[in-house]
Amino acid sequence: MDIALIGYGKMGKTIEQIAVSRGHRIVQTIDIDNLADFVPEKMNGAQVAVEFTGPKTAFANVMKCMDMHLPVVCGSTGWYDRLPEAEARCRQENQSMIVSSNFSLGVNIFFKLNRYLARIMNRFPSYDVSIDETHHTQKLDAPSGTAITLAKAVIGELDRKTGWQLDRADTPDQIRVNAFRRDSVPGIHTVRYTSEIDDIVITHDAHSRAGLALGAVLAAEYIYDKHGVFSMDDVLQID
Ligand SMILES: NC(=O)c1ccc[n+]([C@@H]2O[C@H](COP(=O)([O-])OP(=O)(O)OC[C@H]3O[C@@H](n4cnc5c(N)ncnc54)[C@H](O)[C@@H]3O)[C@@H](O)[C@H]2O)c1
């Protein structure tokens, strides 16, 4: 598979290593010093784009990929207010995309566990729930897209929760999501249920970016010859 990398930072570089080790070719790499190359004539026959830039640039980059009819895997977080627009265009034009707040197998298993636990906890109102996320200090958005995904799943299952707030919970129907920034942490997420009697805690602690990058490459392998809006559930088939 021939891949164009949009964003050649920490994730772009790790994805390159894993893609090459799986026999793929990186035929174009776009970053801020060569934005002029992000045009159809310079895509060098790329069959899929893998976009990891950041919250401010992701939507425009996804649109640019669609302008070129290039299937796109987007890992950038912090832009999901515009996700419905991107998905609608993808469906309307029969294009191909996958957006995930977290591409790692472990976190996607953790997502399932989170939903299952929340379903159980709906019957036990003596427990309140909060979410902690810790990431490296260069991360631009807070809370993490992964923490928001976890919070939304809990809200979907727990009748007593209707929303989330960053670093506070003004009313009992809000989930407090705490964001911590520390040195070079790739990503730690914890969902905690607390009662007067005990705590029930589930945690995912990423040891490196390798799992995230492998998942993004698996997503590219999955979507590059398909049409539609896909999720990591389609790619990983965890159920
Ligand atoms: N979904 C996931 O699994 C996952 C995992 C890790 C990181 N992320 C997210 O991915 C994004 C990138 O993370 P990172 O750790 O690689 O960040 P990074 O800062 O190391 O890399 C981002 C790169 O994008 C480049 N860039 C900025 N604007 C650009 C543009 N318009 N076009 C092309 N390149 C541009 C920057 O120069 C930089 O090299 C962030 O939003 C982060 O939160 C998602």
Side-chain angles (χ1 to χ4, degrees), residues 6-12 30-32 35 38 51-55 57 61 74-78 80 100-104 136 139 141 209 212:
I6 318 300
Y8 194 52
K10 291 182 283 298
M11 282 304 294
I30 304 294
D31 208 290
I32 41 172
L35 289 176
F38 195 6
E51 203 277 357
F52 279 75
T53 60
T57 42
N61 286 340
C74 178
S76 297
T77 51
Y80 295 160
S100 177
S101 62
N102 199 304
F103 282 96
S104 89
H136 52 88
K139 186 164 177 60
D141 50 325
R209 291 186 177 79
L212 299 161

PDB file of all heavy atoms in Angstrom, residues 6-12 30-32 35 38 51-55 57 61 74-78 80 100-104 136 139 141 209 212, ligand 1:
ATOM      1  N   ILE A   6       0.293  12.884   6.457  1.00  0.00           N
ATOM      2  CA  ILE A   6      -0.011  14.308   6.643  1.00  0.00           C
ATOM      3  C   ILE A   6       0.278  14.606   8.114  1.00  0.00           C
ATOM      4  O   ILE A   6      -0.485  14.197   8.990  1.00  0.00           O
ATOM      5  CB  ILE A   6      -1.489  14.643   6.298  1.00  0.00           C
ATOM      6  CG1 ILE A   6      -1.955  13.916   5.019  1.00  0.00           C
ATOM      7  CG2 ILE A   6      -1.692  16.145   6.208  1.00  0.00           C
ATOM      8  CD1 ILE A   6      -1.167  14.235   3.770  1.00  0.00           C
ATOM      9  N   GLY A   7       1.395  15.280   8.361  1.00  0.00           N
ATOM     10  CA  GLY A   7       1.874  15.490   9.730  1.00  0.00           C
ATOM     11  C   GLY A   7       2.988  14.500  10.006  1.00  0.00           C
ATOM     12  O   GLY A   7       2.779  13.283   9.995  1.00  0.00           O
ATOM     13  N   TYR A   8       4.188  15.055  10.202  1.00  0.00           N
ATOM     14  CA  TYR A   8       5.361  14.193  10.399  1.00  0.00           C
ATOM     15  C   TYR A   8       6.003  14.546  11.741  1.00  0.00           C
ATOM     16  O   TYR A   8       7.151  14.917  11.839  1.00  0.00           O
ATOM     17  CB  TYR A   8       6.335  14.410   9.232  1.00  0.00           C
ATOM     18  CG  TYR A   8       7.423  13.368   9.116  1.00  0.00           C
ATOM     19  CD1 TYR A   8       7.115  12.016   9.082  1.00  0.00           C
ATOM     20  CD2 TYR A   8       8.760  13.747   9.019  1.00  0.00           C
ATOM     21  CE1 TYR A   8       8.122  11.068   8.966  1.00  0.00           C
ATOM     22  CE2 TYR A   8       9.772  12.810   8.894  1.00  0.00           C
ATOM     23  CZ  TYR A   8       9.434  11.472   8.880  1.00  0.00           C
ATOM     24  OH  TYR A   8      10.436  10.527   8.766  1.00  0.00           O
ATOM     25  N   GLY A   9       5.161  14.448  12.791  1.00  0.00           N
ATOM     26  CA  GLY A   9       5.648  14.697  14.150  1.00  0.00           C
ATOM     27  C   GLY A   9       5.861  13.368  14.855  1.00  0.00           C
ATOM     28  O   GLY A   9       6.258  12.375  14.230  1.00  0.00           O
ATOM     29  N   LYS A  10       5.568  13.359  16.151  1.00  0.00           N
ATOM     30  CA  LYS A  10       5.817  12.139  16.945  1.00  0.00           C
ATOM     31  C   LYS A  10       5.056  10.950  16.372  1.00  0.00           C
ATOM     32  O   LYS A  10       5.616   9.868  16.189  1.00  0.00           O
ATOM     33  CB  LYS A  10       5.389  12.390  18.406  1.00  0.00           C
ATOM     34  CG  LYS A  10       6.285  13.372  19.133  1.00  0.00           C
ATOM     35  CD  LYS A  10       5.884  13.568  20.585  1.00  0.00           C
ATOM     36  CE  LYS A  10       4.680  14.457  20.770  1.00  0.00           C
ATOM     37  NZ  LYS A  10       4.823  15.836  20.302  1.00  0.00           N
ATOM     38  N   MET A  11       3.773  11.140  16.062  1.00  0.00           N
ATOM     39  CA  MET A  11       2.978  10.024  15.538  1.00  0.00           C
ATOM     40  C   MET A  11       3.352   9.711  14.093  1.00  0.00           C
ATOM     41  O   MET A  11       3.501   8.539  13.728  1.00  0.00           O
ATOM     42  CB  MET A  11       1.478  10.335  15.656  1.00  0.00           C
ATOM     43  CG  MET A  11       0.909  10.157  17.046  1.00  0.00           C
ATOM     44  SD  MET A  11       1.167   8.501  17.726  1.00  0.00           S
ATOM     45  CE  MET A  11       0.151   7.526  16.629  1.00  0.00           C
ATOM     46  N   GLY A  12       3.481  10.741  13.249  1.00  0.00           N
ATOM     47  CA  GLY A  12       3.817  10.506  11.845  1.00  0.00           C
ATOM     48  C   GLY A  12       5.085   9.663  11.716  1.00  0.00           C
ATOM     49  O   GLY A  12       5.133   8.711  10.918  1.00  0.00           O
ATOM     50  N   ILE A  30       3.847  15.214   4.283  1.00  0.00           N
ATOM     51  CA  ILE A  30       3.521  16.654   4.319  1.00  0.00           C
ATOM     52  C   ILE A  30       3.672  17.163   5.753  1.00  0.00           C
ATOM     53  O   ILE A  30       3.148  16.549   6.694  1.00  0.00           O
ATOM     54  CB  ILE A  30       2.053  16.900   3.860  1.00  0.00           C
ATOM     55  CG1 ILE A  30       1.791  16.320   2.464  1.00  0.00           C
ATOM     56  CG2 ILE A  30       1.698  18.384   3.929  1.00  0.00           C
ATOM     57  CD1 ILE A  30       2.546  16.978   1.338  1.00  0.00           C
ATOM     58  N   ASP A  31       4.400  18.252   5.901  1.00  0.00           N
ATOM     59  CA  ASP A  31       4.461  18.933   7.197  1.00  0.00           C
ATOM     60  C   ASP A  31       4.504  20.435   6.912  1.00  0.00           C
ATOM     61  O   ASP A  31       4.387  20.850   5.749  1.00  0.00           O
ATOM     62  CB  ASP A  31       5.648  18.449   8.037  1.00  0.00           C
ATOM     63  CG  ASP A  31       5.365  18.583   9.542  1.00  0.00           C
ATOM     64  OD1 ASP A  31       5.305  19.741  10.033  1.00  0.00           O
ATOM     65  OD2 ASP A  31       5.188  17.565  10.238  1.00  0.00           O
ATOM     66  N   ILE A  32       4.662  21.251   7.939  1.00  0.00           N
ATOM     67  CA  ILE A  32       4.497  22.702   7.719  1.00  0.00           C
ATOM     68  C   ILE A  32       5.543  23.304   6.787  1.00  0.00           C
ATOM     69  O   ILE A  32       5.314  24.348   6.215  1.00  0.00           O
ATOM     70  CB  ILE A  32       4.461  23.511   9.047  1.00  0.00           C
ATOM     71  CG1 ILE A  32       5.499  22.987  10.015  1.00  0.00           C
ATOM     72  CG2 ILE A  32       3.093  23.474   9.674  1.00  0.00           C
ATOM     73  CD1 ILE A  32       5.640  23.852  11.247  1.00  0.00           C
ATOM     74  N   LEU A  35       3.970  22.533   2.804  1.00  0.00           N
ATOM     75  CA  LEU A  35       2.512  22.502   2.619  1.00  0.00           C
ATOM     76  C   LEU A  35       2.111  22.625   1.147  1.00  0.00           C
ATOM     77  O   LEU A  35       1.076  22.111   0.727  1.00  0.00           O
ATOM     78  CB  LEU A  35       1.851  23.637   3.429  1.00  0.00           C
ATOM     79  CG  LEU A  35       1.863  23.463   4.951  1.00  0.00           C
ATOM     80  CD1 LEU A  35       1.269  24.679   5.643  1.00  0.00           C
ATOM     81  CD2 LEU A  35       1.132  22.201   5.372  1.00  0.00           C
ATOM     82  N   PHE A  38       1.023  19.557  -0.808  1.00  0.00           N
ATOM     83  CA  PHE A  38      -0.233  18.860  -0.500  1.00  0.00           C
ATOM     84  C   PHE A  38      -1.248  19.152  -1.612  1.00  0.00           C
ATOM     85  O   PHE A  38      -2.262  19.816  -1.404  1.00  0.00           O
ATOM     86  CB  PHE A  38      -0.725  19.326   0.866  1.00  0.00           C
ATOM     87  CG  PHE A  38      -1.792  18.456   1.495  1.00  0.00           C
ATOM     88  CD1 PHE A  38      -2.190  17.246   0.929  1.00  0.00           C
ATOM     89  CD2 PHE A  38      -2.391  18.840   2.689  1.00  0.00           C
ATOM     90  CE1 PHE A  38      -3.156  16.462   1.507  1.00  0.00           C
ATOM     91  CE2 PHE A  38      -3.375  18.067   3.286  1.00  0.00           C
ATOM     92  CZ  PHE A  38      -3.756  16.877   2.694  1.00  0.00           C
ATOM     93  N   GLU A  51      -3.452  11.076   8.643  1.00  0.00           N
ATOM     94  CA  GLU A  51      -3.377  12.463   9.116  1.00  0.00           C
ATOM     95  C   GLU A  51      -3.223  12.524  10.631  1.00  0.00           C
ATOM     96  O   GLU A  51      -4.111  12.113  11.369  1.00  0.00           O
ATOM     97  CB  GLU A  51      -4.668  13.188   8.692  1.00  0.00           C
ATOM     98  CG  GLU A  51      -4.563  14.685   8.600  1.00  0.00           C
ATOM     99  CD  GLU A  51      -4.730  15.452   9.895  1.00  0.00           C
ATOM    100  OE1 GLU A  51      -5.002  14.826  10.946  1.00  0.00           O
ATOM    101  OE2 GLU A  51      -4.577  16.675   9.878  1.00  0.00           O
ATOM    102  N   PHE A  52      -2.081  13.001  11.102  1.00  0.00           N
ATOM    103  CA  PHE A  52      -1.854  13.269  12.531  1.00  0.00           C
ATOM    104  C   PHE A  52      -1.179  14.627  12.624  1.00  0.00           C
ATOM    105  O   PHE A  52       0.053  14.720  12.613  1.00  0.00           O
ATOM    106  CB  PHE A  52      -0.954  12.198  13.177  1.00  0.00           C
ATOM    107  CG  PHE A  52      -1.656  10.926  13.573  1.00  0.00           C
ATOM    108  CD1 PHE A  52      -2.037   9.988  12.632  1.00  0.00           C
ATOM    109  CD2 PHE A  52      -1.930  10.652  14.915  1.00  0.00           C
ATOM    110  CE1 PHE A  52      -2.679   8.805  12.998  1.00  0.00           C
ATOM    111  CE2 PHE A  52      -2.569   9.469  15.307  1.00  0.00           C
ATOM    112  CZ  PHE A  52      -2.942   8.553  14.345  1.00  0.00           C
ATOM    113  N   THR A  53      -1.970  15.706  12.661  1.00  0.00           N
ATOM    114  CA  THR A  53      -1.374  17.044  12.756  1.00  0.00           C
ATOM    115  C   THR A  53      -1.774  17.693  14.089  1.00  0.00           C
ATOM    116  O   THR A  53      -0.930  17.881  14.957  1.00  0.00           O
ATOM    117  CB  THR A  53      -1.775  17.942  11.575  1.00  0.00           C
ATOM    118  OG1 THR A  53      -3.197  18.111  11.537  1.00  0.00           O
ATOM    119  CG2 THR A  53      -1.287  17.379  10.257  1.00  0.00           C
ATOM    120  N   GLY A  54      -3.041  18.041  14.260  1.00  0.00           N
ATOM    121  CA  GLY A  54      -3.482  18.683  15.503  1.00  0.00           C
ATOM    122  C   GLY A  54      -4.881  19.224  15.357  1.00  0.00           C
ATOM    123  O   GLY A  54      -5.482  19.163  14.284  1.00  0.00           O
ATOM    124  N   PRO A  55      -5.436  19.788  16.449  1.00  0.00           N
ATOM    125  CA  PRO A  55      -6.839  20.204  16.464  1.00  0.00           C
ATOM    126  C   PRO A  55      -7.188  21.288  15.450  1.00  0.00           C
ATOM    127  O   PRO A  55      -8.293  21.292  14.918  1.00  0.00           O
ATOM    128  CB  PRO A  55      -7.041  20.733  17.889  1.00  0.00           C
ATOM    129  CG  PRO A  55      -5.773  20.560  18.623  1.00  0.00           C
ATOM    130  CD  PRO A  55      -4.746  19.969  17.738  1.00  0.00           C
ATOM    131  N   THR A  57      -5.824  21.998  12.482  1.00  0.00           N
ATOM    132  CA  THR A  57      -5.557  21.729  11.065  1.00  0.00           C
ATOM    133  C   THR A  57      -6.272  20.488  10.533  1.00  0.00           C
ATOM    134  O   THR A  57      -6.383  20.315   9.321  1.00  0.00           O
ATOM    135  CB  THR A  57      -4.039  21.547  10.873  1.00  0.00           C
ATOM    136  OG1 THR A  57      -3.546  20.750  11.972  1.00  0.00           O
ATOM    137  CG2 THR A  57      -3.325  22.871  10.881  1.00  0.00           C
ATOM    138  N   ASN A  61      -7.453  19.448   6.596  1.00  0.00           N
ATOM    139  CA  ASN A  61      -6.668  18.391   5.945  1.00  0.00           C
ATOM    140  C   ASN A  61      -7.555  17.230   5.483  1.00  0.00           C
ATOM    141  O   ASN A  61      -7.360  16.679   4.398  1.00  0.00           O
ATOM    142  CB  ASN A  61      -5.575  17.874   6.892  1.00  0.00           C
ATOM    143  CG  ASN A  61      -4.437  18.865   7.038  1.00  0.00           C
ATOM    144  OD1 ASN A  61      -4.257  19.744   6.195  1.00  0.00           O
ATOM    145  ND2 ASN A  61      -3.668  18.738   8.109  1.00  0.00           N
ATOM    146  N   CYS A  74      -7.680   9.544  10.130  1.00  0.00           N
ATOM    147  CA  CYS A  74      -7.365  10.771  10.880  1.00  0.00           C
ATOM    148  C   CYS A  74      -7.274  10.479  12.370  1.00  0.00           C
ATOM    149  O   CYS A  74      -8.239  10.038  12.990  1.00  0.00           O
ATOM    150  CB  CYS A  74      -8.403  11.853  10.609  1.00  0.00           C
ATOM    151  SG  CYS A  74      -8.060  13.344  11.565  1.00  0.00           S
ATOM    152  N   GLY A  75      -6.095  10.757  12.922  1.00  0.00           N
ATOM    153  CA  GLY A  75      -5.879  10.539  14.358  1.00  0.00           C
ATOM    154  C   GLY A  75      -5.886  11.817  15.160  1.00  0.00           C
ATOM    155  O   GLY A  75      -5.912  11.769  16.398  1.00  0.00           O
ATOM    156  N   SER A  76      -5.861  12.977  14.481  1.00  0.00           N
ATOM    157  CA  SER A  76      -5.868  14.248  15.216  1.00  0.00           C
ATOM    158  C   SER A  76      -7.110  14.324  16.084  1.00  0.00           C
ATOM    159  O   SER A  76      -8.199  13.926  15.664  1.00  0.00           O
ATOM    160  CB  SER A  76      -5.877  15.429  14.248  1.00  0.00           C
ATOM    161  OG  SER A  76      -4.708  15.449  13.474  1.00  0.00           O
ATOM    162  N   THR A  77      -6.942  14.882  17.275  1.00  0.00           N
ATOM    163  CA  THR A  77      -8.085  15.033  18.180  1.00  0.00           C
ATOM    164  C   THR A  77      -8.356  16.528  18.399  1.00  0.00           C
ATOM    165  O   THR A  77      -7.595  17.373  17.945  1.00  0.00           O
ATOM    166  CB  THR A  77      -7.792  14.345  19.529  1.00  0.00           C
ATOM    167  OG1 THR A  77      -6.526  14.795  20.014  1.00  0.00           O
ATOM    168  CG2 THR A  77      -7.761  12.846  19.373  1.00  0.00           C
ATOM    169  N   GLY A  78      -9.445  16.839  19.086  1.00  0.00           N
ATOM    170  CA  GLY A  78      -9.751  18.229  19.429  1.00  0.00           C
ATOM    171  C   GLY A  78     -10.467  18.992  18.329  1.00  0.00           C
ATOM    172  O   GLY A  78     -10.561  20.210  18.397  1.00  0.00           O
ATOM    173  N   TYR A  80     -13.577  17.571  16.916  1.00  0.00           N
ATOM    174  CA  TYR A  80     -14.739  16.737  16.622  1.00  0.00           C
ATOM    175  C   TYR A  80     -16.053  17.502  16.510  1.00  0.00           C
ATOM    176  O   TYR A  80     -17.069  16.930  16.113  1.00  0.00           O
ATOM    177  CB  TYR A  80     -14.866  15.604  17.643  1.00  0.00           C
ATOM    178  CG  TYR A  80     -13.723  14.606  17.600  1.00  0.00           C
ATOM    179  CD1 TYR A  80     -13.459  13.775  18.672  1.00  0.00           C
ATOM    180  CD2 TYR A  80     -12.896  14.495  16.483  1.00  0.00           C
ATOM    181  CE1 TYR A  80     -12.416  12.851  18.640  1.00  0.00           C
ATOM    182  CE2 TYR A  80     -11.849  13.579  16.445  1.00  0.00           C
ATOM    183  CZ  TYR A  80     -11.615  12.763  17.524  1.00  0.00           C
ATOM    184  OH  TYR A  80     -10.585  11.861  17.483  1.00  0.00           O
ATOM    185  N   SER A 100     -10.523   8.187  14.685  1.00  0.00           N
ATOM    186  CA  SER A 100     -10.622   7.584  16.009  1.00  0.00           C
ATOM    187  C   SER A 100      -9.824   8.419  16.993  1.00  0.00           C
ATOM    188  O   SER A 100      -8.733   8.894  16.668  1.00  0.00           O
ATOM    189  CB  SER A 100     -10.095   6.146  15.990  1.00  0.00           C
ATOM    190  OG  SER A 100     -10.151   5.613  17.298  1.00  0.00           O
ATOM    191  N   SER A 101     -10.370   8.576  18.183  1.00  0.00           N
ATOM    192  CA  SER A 101      -9.629   9.313  19.220  1.00  0.00           C
ATOM    193  C   SER A 101      -8.471   8.474  19.732  1.00  0.00           C
ATOM    194  O   SER A 101      -7.578   8.996  20.390  1.00  0.00           O
ATOM    195  CB  SER A 101     -10.564   9.678  20.374  1.00  0.00           C
ATOM    196  OG  SER A 101     -11.074   8.503  20.973  1.00  0.00           O
ATOM    197  N   ASN A 102      -8.492   7.185  19.446  1.00  0.00           N
ATOM    198  CA  ASN A 102      -7.392   6.334  19.885  1.00  0.00           C
ATOM    199  C   ASN A 102      -7.366   5.067  19.035  1.00  0.00           C
ATOM    200  O   ASN A 102      -8.346   4.335  18.999  1.00  0.00           O
ATOM    201  CB  ASN A 102      -7.549   5.977  21.372  1.00  0.00           C
ATOM    202  CG  ASN A 102      -6.237   5.500  21.944  1.00  0.00           C
ATOM    203  OD1 ASN A 102      -5.652   4.559  21.443  1.00  0.00           O
ATOM    204  ND2 ASN A 102      -5.775   6.167  22.986  1.00  0.00           N
ATOM    205  N   PHE A 103      -6.243   4.830  18.367  1.00  0.00           N
ATOM    206  CA  PHE A 103      -6.162   3.703  17.424  1.00  0.00           C
ATOM    207  C   PHE A 103      -5.623   2.429  18.068  1.00  0.00           C
ATOM    208  O   PHE A 103      -5.496   1.426  17.384  1.00  0.00           O
ATOM    209  CB  PHE A 103      -5.289   4.093  16.220  1.00  0.00           C
ATOM    210  CG  PHE A 103      -6.023   4.961  15.233  1.00  0.00           C
ATOM    211  CD1 PHE A 103      -5.915   6.336  15.273  1.00  0.00           C
ATOM    212  CD2 PHE A 103      -6.846   4.397  14.267  1.00  0.00           C
ATOM    213  CE1 PHE A 103      -6.603   7.142  14.369  1.00  0.00           C
ATOM    214  CE2 PHE A 103      -7.547   5.185  13.362  1.00  0.00           C
ATOM    215  CZ  PHE A 103      -7.422   6.563  13.412  1.00  0.00           C
ATOM    216  N   SER A 104      -5.257   2.461  19.355  1.00  0.00           N
ATOM    217  CA  SER A 104      -4.595   1.267  19.893  1.00  0.00           C
ATOM    218  C   SER A 104      -5.597   0.169  20.225  1.00  0.00           C
ATOM    219  O   SER A 104      -6.724   0.435  20.665  1.00  0.00           O
ATOM    220  CB  SER A 104      -3.747   1.623  21.118  1.00  0.00           C
ATOM    221  OG  SER A 104      -4.502   1.540  22.293  1.00  0.00           O
ATOM    222  N   HIS A 136       1.758  13.743  27.892  1.00  0.00           N
ATOM    223  CA  HIS A 136       2.960  14.569  27.756  1.00  0.00           C
ATOM    224  C   HIS A 136       2.599  16.054  27.661  1.00  0.00           C
ATOM    225  O   HIS A 136       1.482  16.422  27.253  1.00  0.00           O
ATOM    226  CB  HIS A 136       3.745  14.141  26.511  1.00  0.00           C
ATOM    227  CG  HIS A 136       2.920  14.105  25.270  1.00  0.00           C
ATOM    228  ND1 HIS A 136       2.743  15.197  24.471  1.00  0.00           N
ATOM    229  CD2 HIS A 136       2.175  13.120  24.709  1.00  0.00           C
ATOM    230  CE1 HIS A 136       1.946  14.896  23.465  1.00  0.00           C
ATOM    231  NE2 HIS A 136       1.578  13.631  23.583  1.00  0.00           N
ATOM    232  N   LYS A 139       0.989  18.086  24.481  1.00  0.00           N
ATOM    233  CA  LYS A 139      -0.372  17.853  23.974  1.00  0.00           C
ATOM    234  C   LYS A 139      -1.167  19.157  23.985  1.00  0.00           C
ATOM    235  O   LYS A 139      -1.202  19.868  24.983  1.00  0.00           O
ATOM    236  CB  LYS A 139      -1.074  16.787  24.817  1.00  0.00           C
ATOM    237  CG  LYS A 139      -2.418  16.401  24.253  1.00  0.00           C
ATOM    238  CD  LYS A 139      -2.930  15.102  24.833  1.00  0.00           C
ATOM    239  CE  LYS A 139      -4.319  14.770  24.318  1.00  0.00           C
ATOM    240  NZ  LYS A 139      -4.403  14.628  22.869  1.00  0.00           N
ATOM    241  N   ASP A 141      -4.617  19.680  23.142  1.00  0.00           N
ATOM    242  CA  ASP A 141      -6.017  19.694  23.574  1.00  0.00           C
ATOM    243  C   ASP A 141      -6.167  19.038  24.950  1.00  0.00           C
ATOM    244  O   ASP A 141      -5.400  18.161  25.323  1.00  0.00           O
ATOM    245  CB  ASP A 141      -6.925  19.007  22.534  1.00  0.00           C
ATOM    246  CG  ASP A 141      -6.413  17.626  22.116  1.00  0.00           C
ATOM    247  OD1 ASP A 141      -5.176  17.441  22.044  1.00  0.00           O
ATOM    248  OD2 ASP A 141      -7.232  16.726  21.885  1.00  0.00           O
ATOM    249  N   ARG A 209       4.121   4.868  21.893  1.00  0.00           N
ATOM    250  CA  ARG A 209       3.182   5.237  20.821  1.00  0.00           C
ATOM    251  C   ARG A 209       3.000   4.088  19.822  1.00  0.00           C
ATOM    252  O   ARG A 209       2.240   4.214  18.868  1.00  0.00           O
ATOM    253  CB  ARG A 209       3.694   6.464  20.061  1.00  0.00           C
ATOM    254  CG  ARG A 209       3.662   7.704  20.885  1.00  0.00           C
ATOM    255  CD  ARG A 209       4.012   8.959  20.136  1.00  0.00           C
ATOM    256  NE  ARG A 209       3.852  10.072  21.056  1.00  0.00           N
ATOM    257  CZ  ARG A 209       4.732  10.420  21.987  1.00  0.00           C
ATOM    258  NH1 ARG A 209       5.874   9.769  22.110  1.00  0.00           N
ATOM    259  NH2 ARG A 209       4.487  11.417  22.804  1.00  0.00           N
ATOM    260  N   LEU A 212      -0.558   2.799  19.170  1.00  0.00           N
ATOM    261  CA  LEU A 212      -1.373   3.802  18.462  1.00  0.00           C
ATOM    262  C   LEU A 212      -1.036   3.787  16.975  1.00  0.00           C
ATOM    263  O   LEU A 212      -1.915   3.817  16.108  1.00  0.00           O
ATOM    264  CB  LEU A 212      -1.088   5.195  19.020  1.00  0.00           C
ATOM    265  CG  LEU A 212      -1.392   5.412  20.506  1.00  0.00           C
ATOM    266  CD1 LEU A 212      -0.669   6.627  21.031  1.00  0.00           C
ATOM    267  CD2 LEU A 212      -2.891   5.558  20.699  1.00  0.00           C
TER     268      LEU A 212
HETATM  269  N1  LIG B   1      -5.971   9.043  17.626  1.00  0.00           N
HETATM  270  C1  LIG B   1      -4.864   8.589  18.212  1.00  0.00           C
HETATM  271  O1  LIG B   1      -4.695   7.382  18.415  1.00  0.00           O
HETATM  272  C2  LIG B   1      -3.799   9.581  18.594  1.00  0.00           C
HETATM  273  C3  LIG B   1      -2.584   9.173  19.159  1.00  0.00           C
HETATM  274  C4  LIG B   1      -1.602  10.124  19.426  1.00  0.00           C
HETATM  275  C5  LIG B   1      -1.827  11.447  19.119  1.00  0.00           C
HETATM  276  N2  LIG B   1      -3.025  11.833  18.594  1.00  0.00           N
HETATM  277  C6  LIG B   1      -3.301  13.191  18.140  1.00  0.00           C
HETATM  278  O2  LIG B   1      -2.657  13.351  16.880  1.00  0.00           O
HETATM  279  C7  LIG B   1      -2.218  14.693  16.715  1.00  0.00           C
HETATM  280  C8  LIG B   1      -0.718  14.722  16.436  1.00  0.00           C
HETATM  281  O3  LIG B   1      -0.019  14.158  17.529  1.00  0.00           O
HETATM  282  P1  LIG B   1       1.590  14.128  17.573  1.00  0.00           P
HETATM  283  O4  LIG B   1       1.905  13.616  18.936  1.00  0.00           O
HETATM  284  O5  LIG B   1       2.153  13.437  16.386  1.00  0.00           O
HETATM  285  O6  LIG B   1       1.913  15.709  17.504  1.00  0.00           O
HETATM  286  P2  LIG B   1       3.242  16.418  16.986  1.00  0.00           P
HETATM  287  O7  LIG B   1       3.125  17.835  17.420  1.00  0.00           O
HETATM  288  O8  LIG B   1       4.440  15.643  17.394  1.00  0.00           O
HETATM  289  O9  LIG B   1       3.117  16.328  15.388  1.00  0.00           O
HETATM  290  C9  LIG B   1       2.218  17.102  14.623  1.00  0.00           C
HETATM  291  C10 LIG B   1       2.926  17.446  13.312  1.00  0.00           C
HETATM  292  O10 LIG B   1       1.980  18.040  12.433  1.00  0.00           O
HETATM  293  C11 LIG B   1       2.632  19.114  11.756  1.00  0.00           C
HETATM  294  N3  LIG B   1       1.629  20.027  11.214  1.00  0.00           N
HETATM  295  C12 LIG B   1       1.009  21.068  11.831  1.00  0.00           C
HETATM  296  N4  LIG B   1       0.137  21.650  10.992  1.00  0.00           N
HETATM  297  C13 LIG B   1       0.207  20.964   9.824  1.00  0.00           C
HETATM  298  C14 LIG B   1      -0.477  21.068   8.587  1.00  0.00           C
HETATM  299  N5  LIG B   1      -1.399  22.014   8.365  1.00  0.00           N
HETATM  300  N6  LIG B   1      -0.184  20.173   7.619  1.00  0.00           N
HETATM  301  C15 LIG B   1       0.735  19.208   7.824  1.00  0.00           C
HETATM  302  N7  LIG B   1       1.421  19.065   8.975  1.00  0.00           N
HETATM  303  C16 LIG B   1       1.153  19.929   9.969  1.00  0.00           C
HETATM  304  C17 LIG B   1       3.534  19.716  12.826  1.00  0.00           C
HETATM  305  O11 LIG B   1       4.569  20.506  12.255  1.00  0.00           O
HETATM  306  C18 LIG B   1       4.079  18.450  13.502  1.00  0.00           C
HETATM  307  O12 LIG B   1       5.246  17.964  12.875  1.00  0.00           O
HETATM  308  C19 LIG B   1      -2.672  15.415  17.982  1.00  0.00           C
HETATM  309  O13 LIG B   1      -3.947  15.972  17.765  1.00  0.00           O
HETATM  310  C20 LIG B   1      -2.770  14.300  19.007  1.00  0.00           C
HETATM  311  O14 LIG B   1      -3.658  14.595  20.063  1.00  0.00           O
HETATM  312  C21 LIG B   1      -3.994  10.915  18.320  1.00  0.00           C
END
